[in-house]
Amino acid sequence: QITAGARGKLEGLGDWTYDAYLSYGRVDNDTTYTGYVSRSAVQRLLDAPDGGASICTGGFNPFGENALSSSCIDYIRRIAKNKTVSDQRVFEVNLQGGAFELPAGEVRVALGGTYRKQTYELTPDALLTSSFTLNGVKGPELAGNAAQPLAGSDRVYEGYGEVLIPLLRDLPLIRNLETNLGFRVSNYASVGSVTSYKADANWEIVDGLRL
């Protein structure tokens, strides 16, 4: 994961500041599965006229407690390897500072935008994607598991604005009264545009008592 950013003051704009960052992260995961059994290999042993003795030492007798030889185990066992890759890319910038004065104090504003993209890809072993057919019934080649390739991604562009407005100050039972309003719009590649908002009030009645 790599992250780089910058922050500072916007010269000539009072106390306005900015901060921005760029982040990239990626995970590669290789998974090895052992202990799987090939259904087609077992079926070949069962179908062999000599019980599979010509295929591997001792053949395969499914009746009773008969230990398989190491050569027969090697013949029917399979090792599968899956590969998963996921990554995320983020760019964000934020601005904030004072806008203008009201009798109760300074109106402050925050603005920002974000770009975010996430991708995921699963590449299963060919053994996990292959099938085996017996008596017209199709099933996975490996006894107990199957998988299909999977891939997807989503990206979103977001923008927001927030404003803090002081309403009243230093009055009886109103040491400070202010409201905070915010709006955000997000545009997803998957579901389109969505919006959200917030509105709250902060009333400080006296020192130590706030609603």
Side-chain angles (χ1 to χ4, degrees), residues 93-170:
V93 60
N94 299 284
L95 309 172
Q96 72 90 24
F100 54 88
E101 290 286 339
L102 290 177
E106 185 181 38
V107 175
R108 299 194 63 82
V109 177
L111 303 169
T114 304
Y115 167 78
R116 185 171 63 254
K117 182 178 181 180
Q118 301 176 116
T119 62
Y120 175 86
E121 182 177 8
L122 166 66
T123 305
D125 194 293
L127 289 168
L128 293 169
T129 63
S130 58
S131 60
F132 169 69
T133 302
L134 177 64
N135 298 327
V137 179
K138 181 179 291 188
E141 161 62 15
L142 296 186
N145 202 2
Q148 294 298 322
L150 178 66
S153 67
D154 198 12
R155 70 178 183 274
V156 57
Y157 297 90
E158 293 187 295
Y160 80 90
E162 193 168 334
V163 58
L164 178 66
I165 306 173
L167 302 175
L168 299 170
R169 181 185 295 272
D170 297 329

Side-chain angles (χ1 to χ4, degrees), residues 4-66:
R7 63 177 58 177
K9 295 187 63 175
L10 295 174
E11 298 297 333
L13 292 177
D15 68 346
W16 276 77
T17 61
Y18 72 89
D19 68 79
Y21 77 90
L22 176 68
S23 175
Y24 174 75
R26 172 171 169 148
V27 176
D28 290 75
N29 186 25
D30 296 312
T31 308
T32 300
Y33 299 91
T34 61
Y36 281 124
V37 174
S38 166
R39 297 176 68 208
S40 60
V42 172
Q43 193 60 45
R44 284 192 292 271
L45 290 176
L46 292 173
D47 292 340
D50 58 357
S54 59
I55 300 175
C56 60
T57 304
F60 176 45
N61 181 2
F63 302 104
E65 296 184 6
N66 303 298

